[in-house]
Amino acid sequence: MLYQIYPRSFADSNTDGIGDLRGIIDRIDYLEWLGIDAIWLSPITVSPNADWGYDVADFYAVQPDLGTFTDFDELVADAHQRGIRVLLDFVPNHTSDQHPWFIDARSSKTSQFRDWYVWADPSTDGSPPNNWVSSFGGPAWTLDSKTSQYYLHNHLSEQPDLNWWNGDLRDAFDDILVFWFDRGVDGFRIDVCNVIIKDAELRDNPPATADDPLDIQLFGQRPVYNANRPEVHDVLRRWRRIADSYDPPRLLLGETPVDDFTDLAEFYGADLDELQLAFNFPFINATFDAVAMPKIVEQVETFLPPGAWPAWTGSNHDMSRFATRWAHDDPRQARAALIMLLGLRGTPVLYQGDEIGLGDTPLEQKDLRDPLGVRFFPAYAGRDAMRTPMPWRDGPGGGFTDPAVRPWLPLGDTECNVESQLADPTSMLILARDLISLRKRTPDLNIGSYAALPAPEGVWAWRRGDRHAVIINCSERDASVDGLSGCVRVGTDRARDGEAFDGALQLRSREGLVAEIQP
Ligand code: NOJ
């Protein structure tokens, strides 16, 4: 059970309106109470924040806004004392354009670090070297006037892509991993780890077709040559060897935005020698219904190599929160989605606020800070709506910062907050805590297998291990699942906890529960 923290928006200890490491330390008791096993912190290293930490200017130093190494070491020690492991974000695809490597690289064609980035001459008409588009829109190339070559950037032009064909660069990233592992870090979430290696010949991508998924159609091309290259697996195996050289082994969790389940499976390695966990984007992007979701889960169960362990998440700092996207702000459905996430075989990853059913916070244009929102508003408002500060209590400042301080992003409505849910035994927060605890002490739910159970239309039911089942009514209609006998362990309707059922289980619309069943 993993919990993602977006440090700038978690808790502000020094009342500058920005969350920080000390704020996380202050809330570590809460995390322990919730029962999570590990936290993943979005980037905490030095960054000019063109892309809020995902443009790293120094891989070896803590961003001053967020704290110091002393804070970091204290956070790791405090977390470890409570049995909570700490994962950081590893950003190997690109650096900031302010990183000393890039400053050197762009200074001349013969500079020491020139080959650490991807440079190419213009086409004969002066246009970019090939047709690749940036995942943030527009061409993936920017002409650098000093040396009259283009450099590649799969994201902002302030995020030049690194050249993973360069052996010295590979060594440099090994050193970064070792530095943080030696400092006590238990693992990394690896940013866009499927795109780090590009085609050595920089060939044009083929055009998208009507059969391609919508996101690919939007870009107008299939990312054949700038993503998912086979050589990425050599790099992942290399990192895994480093992670495995520690005792206990360190964890590698990849951001793997691929649509195909055979591609997803490959990131685990045929011999399970690559990532231990890989994020599943078709799942995040699926609609929350009893057809799309089970289909994805079945495919994961089919395609992942034996022994591989899935990861399940519904929200993160890039995607609309699941309380909004899956549940359309219907609290019943958000609770059912939480049961689903915590009831599948694999590692659930909650994003801060998921446990209280926090939805997206719509912002006005003037408040946007994400470069994508700033660039594309109103067609796309960017990712700020899912990055607003954590509401710890109701009222100004929301317990995130001092009431007199203006937080770096507006808080939004604080009616949904931790404090009031802590006081309400029927709240989503208490449901989350109870589910996590049940999962931990019940081997069926923790490590048991997944097997779909027969269920009427609109209902998704599956068995976990020998004696447990998870049943979710995704529909607007009440339903009856026949052929089941047992006892409710934890349900979205807490009044049903402990209720016995014999031969049939009745569910109200949008209701979900975990039950012990007769085999
Ligand atoms: C994925 C990260 O999650 C996102 O926030 C970032 O903008 C891009 N990678 C680029 O690093």
Side-chain angles (χ1 to χ4, degrees):
M1 165 65 214
L2 237 133
Y3 184 91
Q4 181 193 354
I5 291 181
Y6 194 73
R8 291 184 74 82
S9 292
F10 192 62
D12 172 18
S13 72
N14 60 354
T15 63
D16 62 356
I18 298 170
D20 44 50
L21 298 179
R22 201 143 280 286
I24 304 173
I25 295 171
D26 293 344
R27 301 289 176 173
I28 203 97
D29 288 341
Y30 168 77
L31 300 172
E32 183 184 20
W33 170 85
L34 191 55
I36 59 160
D37 300 306
I39 49 178
W40 146 37
L41 310 183
S42 280
I44 61 159
T45 40
V46 170
S47 166
N49 284 334
D51 188 22
W52 298 108
Y54 286 95
D55 48 322
V56 179
D58 185 350
F59 290 98
Y60 289 101
V62 174
Q63 172 80 345
D65 281 354
L66 304 179
T68 63
F69 263 126
T70 311
D71 301 332
F72 177 74
D73 291 339
E74 195 177 319
L75 169 59
V76 172
D78 277 13
H80 284 175
Q81 212 181 14
R82 290 162 169 80
I84 298 174
R85 280 170 288 179
V86 179
L87 312 186
L88 293 185
D89 218 307
F90 186 54
V91 188
N93 179 66
H94 45 265
T95 65
S96 160
D97 62 349
Q98 304 302 307
H99 194 291
W101 297 339
F102 190 68
I103 292 174
D104 170 85
R106 77 192 316 180
S107 67
S108 98
K109 280 187 177 171
T110 54
S111 69
Q112 185 189 352
F113 293 102
R114 181 75 174 183
D115 187 53
W116 285 35
Y117 294 85
V118 184
W119 297 93
D121 288 330
S123 303
T124 40
D125 63 355
S127 62
N130 66 21
N131 71 349
W132 296 354
V133 287
S134 155
S135 53
F136 283 179
W141 297 93
T142 289
L143 185 64
D144 197 44
S145 55
K146 178 105 194 271
T147 55
S148 302
Q149 279 196 313
Y150 280 90
Y151 66 87
L152 179 71
H153 51 87
N154 247 302
H155 300 89
L156 301 174
S157 59
E158 292 92 339
Q159 294 168 294
D161 275 32
L162 288 159
N163 173 17
W164 274 90
W165 294 102
N166 183 297
D168 292 337
L169 173 92
R170 292 185 183 205
D171 292 344
F173 272 89
D174 290 354
D175 292 346
I176 295 168
L177 286 178
V178 167
F179 172 83
W180 289 100
F181 286 155
D182 286 350
R183 206 154 186 129
V185 166
D186 300 285
F188 281 101
R189 173 266 190 187
I190 306 170
D191 192 59
V192 285
C193 77
N194 60 319
V195 308
I196 60 174
I197 289 231
K198 284 82 184 175
D199 178 43
E201 295 170 41
L202 304 177
R203 281 170 283 186
D204 276 348
N205 278 328
T209 69
D211 297 333
D212 285 317
L214 206 60
D215 53 333
I216 292 189
Q217 290 190 44
L218 276 175
F219 285 111
Q221 58 183 235
R222 289 188 179 162
V224 170
Y225 292 113
N226 59 345
N228 307 325
R229 301 303 301 160
E231 299 85 0
V232 74
H233 298 286
D234 299 334
V235 179
L236 294 179
R237 279 191 286 272
R238 176 185 179 117
W239 292 339
R240 179 64 181 271
R241 280 194 294 275
I242 297 175
D244 281 352
S245 70
Y246 285 81
D247 183 21
R250 305 306 200 235
L251 179 77
L252 301 179
L253 157 66
E255 186 195 21
T256 42
V258 293
D259 293 316
D260 188 293
F261 290 98
T262 48
D263 290 343
L264 181 67
E266 281 179 12
F267 286 101
Y268 288 83
D271 298 323
L272 296 185
D273 54 358
E274 298 185 31
L275 302 172
Q276 289 103 326
L277 290 173
F279 276 125
N280 180 331
F281 280 76
F283 177 76
I284 301 181
N285 288 318
T287 49
F288 186 71
D289 64 49
V291 177
M293 286 281 178
K295 201 165 148 204
I296 288 172
V297 172
E298 299 281 346
Q299 279 180 297
V300 167
E301 291 288 340
T302 308
F303 286 110
L304 253 50
W309 196 242
W312 304 109
T313 190
S315 313
N316 63 37
H317 63 291
D318 294 330
M319 320 281 299
S320 168
R321 290 172 169 279
F322 79 68
T324 296
R325 186 168 28 80
W326 280 344
H328 311 292
D329 297 317
D330 175 344
R332 295 171 308 162
Q333 185 135 325
R335 292 164 77 97
L338 183 72
I339 294 208
M340 182 269 290
L341 271 175
L342 291 165
L344 288 168
R345 182 185 79 89
T347 296
V349 186
L350 293 185
Y351 177 46
Q352 65 184 46
D354 281 350
E355 71 275 27
I356 55 171
L358 190 65
D360 297 344
T361 304
L363 298 178
E364 292 177 44
Q365 185 177 10
K366 67 174 176 46
D367 291 321
L368 299 183
R369 310 292 296 270
D370 173 24
L372 298 187
V374 170
R375 186 188 283 183
F376 295 116
F377 189 90
Y380 174 55
R383 300 166 292 180
D384 293 309
M386 24 293 194
R387 298 176 177 181
T388 55
M390 180 81 174
W392 294 98
R393 60 168 181 263
D394 202 5
F400 164 75
T401 191
D402 189 275
V405 169
R406 191 186 155 95
W408 80 286
L409 278 176
L411 263 153
D413 190 352
T414 51
E415 200 186 317
C416 171
N417 68 76
V418 171
E419 187 181 71
S420 50
Q421 293 201 20
L422 275 173
D424 173 5
T426 67
S427 69
M428 179 139 162
L429 177 58
I430 302 294
L431 173 66
R433 198 274 313 257
D434 291 350
L435 279 168
I436 293 168
S437 157
L438 177 68
R439 198 185 143 96
K440 275 195 175 165
R441 53 183 208 278
T442 312
D444 271 358
L445 298 174
N446 197 359
I447 52 168
S449 55
Y450 168 96
L453 288 170
E457 198 186 327
V459 176
W460 178 19
W462 65 94
R463 180 190 289 276
R464 287 296 313 280
D466 294 330
R467 297 191 66 94
H468 282 83
V470 183
I471 304 119
I472 312 279
N473 182 1
C474 304
S475 80
E476 267 307 332
R477 285 189 305 275
D478 294 353
S480 171
V481 186
D482 297 332
L484 283 182
S485 300
C487 174
V488 176
R489 302 285 307 265
V490 173
T492 47
D493 174 359
R494 302 307 304 270
R496 294 189 70 176
D497 290 10
E499 180 188 305
F501 52 93
D502 191 7
L505 172 70
Q506 312 301 323
L507 287 171
R508 273 200 281 279
S509 156
R510 315 282 182 207
E511 185 175 5
L513 50 84
V514 180
E516 186 166 356
I517 54 165
Q518 286 169 17

